[in-house]
Amino acid sequence: MTKFVDLTPTLGTEILDLDLADDLDDATAATLQRLLGLRGLLVFRDQAKLTPERHVEISRRFGGLEVHVQKRYHHQAHPEILIVSNVVENGAPIGLADAGKYWHSDLSYLAEPSLGSLLHAQELPTDGSGDTLFADTRASYDALDAATKRRLVGLSAEHSYVARNNAQAAVNPDRRIDESTAAKVPPVLHPVVRAHPLTKRPALFVNEGFTTRIVDLPDAESRALLDRLFAHSIEPRFLYRHQWRAHDLVFWDNRSTMHLATGCPANERRTLFRTTVRGDRPIAYVPAAAEIAA
Ligand code: OGA
Ligand code: MN
């Protein structure tokens, strides 16, 4: 594995000479883990030979795998695979149709949110639509002014799957969940700025999709601060737009990026398989005094 191309100055690296269907030795796996931490996103092209079984196996090299709370979207043979798809068969969608049409970090609503996700393209729209946008939440934190960084020190925010799902279910009844499913994903609190476990670099960890409020702030203040952080973190300078090619596999770091599905027209077919690697409880980032000096 020697051919790398950086996608933006801070975010994303394309790896041109690795077939994930072949054996992955420990040294290469360790390099990939480090690269993911440094670059936030890895793109592997032409992964045509990668079977669902091998996708699961490769993903396990980076940690335990999550099984999505909504069973109906699981791959039948491999529950660790979440099917992301707008395809309807026999009147029922074969996967999660509206996955991520809002900015989010996968599973930020868990007490131990995901480390990263591996998304493998199966069938793509023929009209070139269906891009996924990624935002570098380290770069957006770094770019904040010192006064805002001071304000964020010690703040925590609430993340809720149920709040998001209820909003989606209002427009897509297929997403309704029962109380026992909802009870598995109670709201959780996370630091607003987290330190990456490998690089120790700070990253903003609030997202439009799952973050409902900043705790210990009055509602209006919490709303205003979140809206400002959301708007700031998706400025074009922090983004990478992934245009999917046949058999791409994209591995992103949920600790230092957010993403958004731009979607495709209903008459196009788009199906991808996702595995989601388990992560640790986020650790709050504490800036050095000089970093936030007035
Ligand atoms: C996901 C996701 C985006 C897309 O699979 O986690 O957000 O463009 N997908 O399908
Ligand atoms: Mn997602």
mmCIF file of all heavy atoms in Angstrom, residues 28-46:
data_model
loop_
_atom_site.group_PDB
_atom_site.id
_atom_site.type_symbol
_atom_site.label_atom_id
_atom_site.label_comp_id
_atom_site.label_asym_id
_atom_site.label_seq_id
_atom_site.Cartn_x
_atom_site.Cartn_y
_atom_site.Cartn_z
ATOM 1 N N THR A 28 -0.334 -3.298 7.821
ATOM 2 C CA THR A 28 -1.184 -2.457 6.963
ATOM 3 C C THR A 28 -2.420 -1.999 7.739
ATOM 4 O O THR A 28 -2.823 -0.827 7.652
ATOM 5 C CB THR A 28 -1.599 -3.233 5.695
ATOM 6 O OG1 THR A 28 -0.411 -3.720 5.072
ATOM 7 C CG2 THR A 28 -2.349 -2.349 4.722
ATOM 8 N N ALA A 29 -3.005 -2.920 8.522
ATOM 9 C CA ALA A 29 -4.180 -2.540 9.314
ATOM 10 C C ALA A 29 -3.815 -1.413 10.288
ATOM 11 O O ALA A 29 -4.588 -0.463 10.469
ATOM 12 C CB ALA A 29 -4.728 -3.748 10.068
ATOM 13 N N ALA A 30 -2.624 -1.497 10.888
ATOM 14 C CA ALA A 30 -2.192 -0.457 11.836
ATOM 15 C C ALA A 30 -1.979 0.873 11.113
ATOM 16 O O ALA A 30 -2.308 1.942 11.637
ATOM 17 C CB ALA A 30 -0.913 -0.898 12.543
ATOM 18 N N THR A 31 -1.435 0.811 9.886
ATOM 19 C CA THR A 31 -1.250 2.036 9.105
ATOM 20 C C THR A 31 -2.604 2.675 8.788
ATOM 21 O O THR A 31 -2.773 3.893 8.896
ATOM 22 C CB THR A 31 -0.505 1.726 7.783
ATOM 23 O OG1 THR A 31 0.731 1.101 8.109
ATOM 24 C CG2 THR A 31 -0.251 2.981 6.969
ATOM 25 N N LEU A 32 -3.567 1.843 8.427
ATOM 26 C CA LEU A 32 -4.901 2.364 8.104
ATOM 27 C C LEU A 32 -5.533 3.040 9.323
ATOM 28 O O LEU A 32 -6.150 4.099 9.215
ATOM 29 C CB LEU A 32 -5.815 1.240 7.607
ATOM 30 C CG LEU A 32 -5.451 0.646 6.246
ATOM 31 C CD1 LEU A 32 -6.408 -0.486 5.891
ATOM 32 C CD2 LEU A 32 -5.476 1.720 5.153
ATOM 33 N N GLN A 33 -5.347 2.424 10.489
ATOM 34 C CA GLN A 33 -5.899 2.979 11.719
ATOM 35 C C GLN A 33 -5.299 4.363 12.008
ATOM 36 O O GLN A 33 -6.005 5.304 12.362
ATOM 37 C CB GLN A 33 -5.586 2.024 12.853
ATOM 38 C CG GLN A 33 -6.421 2.218 14.077
ATOM 39 C CD GLN A 33 -6.332 0.987 14.952
ATOM 40 O OE1 GLN A 33 -5.313 0.284 14.941
ATOM 41 N NE2 GLN A 33 -7.378 0.704 15.696
ATOM 42 N N ARG A 34 -3.977 4.463 11.820
ATOM 43 C CA ARG A 34 -3.303 5.757 12.047
ATOM 44 C C ARG A 34 -3.743 6.788 11.027
ATOM 45 O O ARG A 34 -3.998 7.943 11.351
ATOM 46 C CB ARG A 34 -1.784 5.585 11.956
ATOM 47 C CG ARG A 34 -1.116 5.262 13.284
ATOM 48 C CD ARG A 34 0.385 5.579 13.267
ATOM 49 N NE ARG A 34 1.059 5.099 12.075
ATOM 50 C CZ ARG A 34 1.461 3.837 11.897
ATOM 51 N NH1 ARG A 34 1.265 2.928 12.834
ATOM 52 N NH2 ARG A 34 2.074 3.480 10.784
ATOM 53 N N LEU A 35 -3.808 6.354 9.762
ATOM 54 C CA LEU A 35 -4.225 7.273 8.690
ATOM 55 C C LEU A 35 -5.638 7.796 8.929
ATOM 56 O O LEU A 35 -5.931 8.962 8.692
ATOM 57 C CB LEU A 35 -4.208 6.547 7.341
ATOM 58 C CG LEU A 35 -3.068 6.771 6.373
ATOM 59 C CD1 LEU A 35 -3.398 6.074 5.051
ATOM 60 C CD2 LEU A 35 -2.811 8.259 6.119
ATOM 61 N N LEU A 36 -6.507 6.906 9.391
ATOM 62 C CA LEU A 36 -7.881 7.315 9.675
ATOM 63 C C LEU A 36 -7.888 8.410 10.743
ATOM 64 O O LEU A 36 -8.585 9.415 10.617
ATOM 65 C CB LEU A 36 -8.708 6.111 10.148
ATOM 66 C CG LEU A 36 -10.171 6.436 10.448
ATOM 67 C CD1 LEU A 36 -10.972 6.589 9.154
ATOM 68 C CD2 LEU A 36 -10.807 5.367 11.329
ATOM 69 N N GLY A 37 -7.076 8.205 11.797
ATOM 70 C CA GLY A 37 -6.991 9.206 12.859
ATOM 71 C C GLY A 37 -6.464 10.539 12.345
ATOM 72 O O GLY A 37 -6.947 11.603 12.699
ATOM 73 N N LEU A 38 -5.470 10.463 11.462
ATOM 74 C CA LEU A 38 -4.844 11.692 10.960
ATOM 75 C C LEU A 38 -5.717 12.394 9.928
ATOM 76 O O LEU A 38 -5.821 13.611 9.914
ATOM 77 C CB LEU A 38 -3.488 11.366 10.307
ATOM 78 C CG LEU A 38 -2.387 10.922 11.256
ATOM 79 C CD1 LEU A 38 -1.175 10.445 10.467
ATOM 80 C CD2 LEU A 38 -1.994 12.075 12.189
ATOM 81 N N ARG A 39 -6.334 11.628 9.036
ATOM 82 C CA ARG A 39 -7.024 12.210 7.882
ATOM 83 C C ARG A 39 -8.546 12.222 7.982
ATOM 84 O O ARG A 39 -9.211 12.837 7.158
ATOM 85 C CB ARG A 39 -6.593 11.462 6.608
ATOM 86 C CG ARG A 39 -5.089 11.455 6.355
ATOM 87 C CD ARG A 39 -4.591 12.829 5.988
ATOM 88 N NE ARG A 39 -5.350 13.378 4.871
ATOM 89 C CZ ARG A 39 -5.339 14.664 4.517
ATOM 90 N NH1 ARG A 39 -4.621 15.525 5.199
ATOM 91 N NH2 ARG A 39 -6.052 15.076 3.502
ATOM 92 N N GLY A 40 -9.117 11.480 8.959
ATOM 93 C CA GLY A 40 -10.566 11.531 9.180
ATOM 94 C C GLY A 40 -11.417 10.700 8.233
ATOM 95 O O GLY A 40 -12.562 10.378 8.547
ATOM 96 N N LEU A 41 -10.838 10.349 7.071
ATOM 97 C CA LEU A 41 -11.645 9.669 6.049
ATOM 98 C C LEU A 41 -10.728 8.972 5.057
ATOM 99 O O LEU A 41 -9.753 9.563 4.595
ATOM 100 C CB LEU A 41 -12.464 10.748 5.330
ATOM 101 C CG LEU A 41 -13.287 10.352 4.129
ATOM 102 C CD1 LEU A 41 -14.750 10.433 4.521
ATOM 103 C CD2 LEU A 41 -13.074 11.277 2.965
ATOM 104 N N LEU A 42 -11.049 7.706 4.769
ATOM 105 C CA LEU A 42 -10.265 6.955 3.785
ATOM 106 C C LEU A 42 -11.197 6.474 2.676
ATOM 107 O O LEU A 42 -12.283 5.955 2.955
ATOM 108 C CB LEU A 42 -9.588 5.742 4.450
ATOM 109 C CG LEU A 42 -8.709 6.036 5.674
ATOM 110 C CD1 LEU A 42 -8.176 4.729 6.271
ATOM 111 C CD2 LEU A 42 -7.545 6.960 5.299
ATOM 112 N N VAL A 43 -10.766 6.634 1.444
ATOM 113 C CA VAL A 43 -11.555 6.180 0.292
ATOM 114 C C VAL A 43 -10.796 5.046 -0.393
ATOM 115 O O VAL A 43 -9.643 5.224 -0.795
ATOM 116 C CB VAL A 43 -11.784 7.331 -0.714
ATOM 117 C CG1 VAL A 43 -12.473 6.806 -1.983
ATOM 118 C CG2 VAL A 43 -12.631 8.437 -0.083
ATOM 119 N N PHE A 44 -11.435 3.889 -0.506
ATOM 120 C CA PHE A 44 -10.849 2.750 -1.210
ATOM 121 C C PHE A 44 -11.656 2.560 -2.493
ATOM 122 O O PHE A 44 -12.871 2.335 -2.424
ATOM 123 C CB PHE A 44 -10.949 1.476 -0.366
ATOM 124 C CG PHE A 44 -10.286 1.582 0.992
ATOM 125 C CD1 PHE A 44 -10.990 2.050 2.097
ATOM 126 C CD2 PHE A 44 -8.958 1.227 1.159
ATOM 127 C CE1 PHE A 44 -10.382 2.150 3.341
ATOM 128 C CE2 PHE A 44 -8.345 1.311 2.405
ATOM 129 C CZ PHE A 44 -9.053 1.780 3.492
ATOM 130 N N ARG A 45 -10.980 2.654 -3.644
ATOM 131 C CA ARG A 45 -11.694 2.502 -4.922
ATOM 132 C C ARG A 45 -11.735 1.039 -5.348
ATOM 133 O O ARG A 45 -10.897 0.227 -4.911
ATOM 134 C CB ARG A 45 -10.974 3.310 -6.014
ATOM 135 C CG ARG A 45 -10.817 4.789 -5.731
ATOM 136 C CD ARG A 45 -12.118 5.539 -5.880
ATOM 137 N NE ARG A 45 -11.901 6.992 -5.747
ATOM 138 C CZ ARG A 45 -12.884 7.875 -5.649
ATOM 139 N NH1 ARG A 45 -14.150 7.486 -5.678
ATOM 140 N NH2 ARG A 45 -12.606 9.160 -5.531
ATOM 141 N N ASP A 46 -12.674 0.743 -6.233
ATOM 142 C CA ASP A 46 -12.729 -0.550 -6.943
ATOM 143 C C ASP A 46 -12.778 -1.774 -6.033
ATOM 144 O O ASP A 46 -12.069 -2.750 -6.282
ATOM 145 C CB ASP A 46 -11.495 -0.691 -7.879
ATOM 146 C CG ASP A 46 -11.366 0.487 -8.822
ATOM 147 O OD1 ASP A 46 -12.403 0.907 -9.371
ATOM 148 O OD2 ASP A 46 -10.232 0.994 -8.996
#
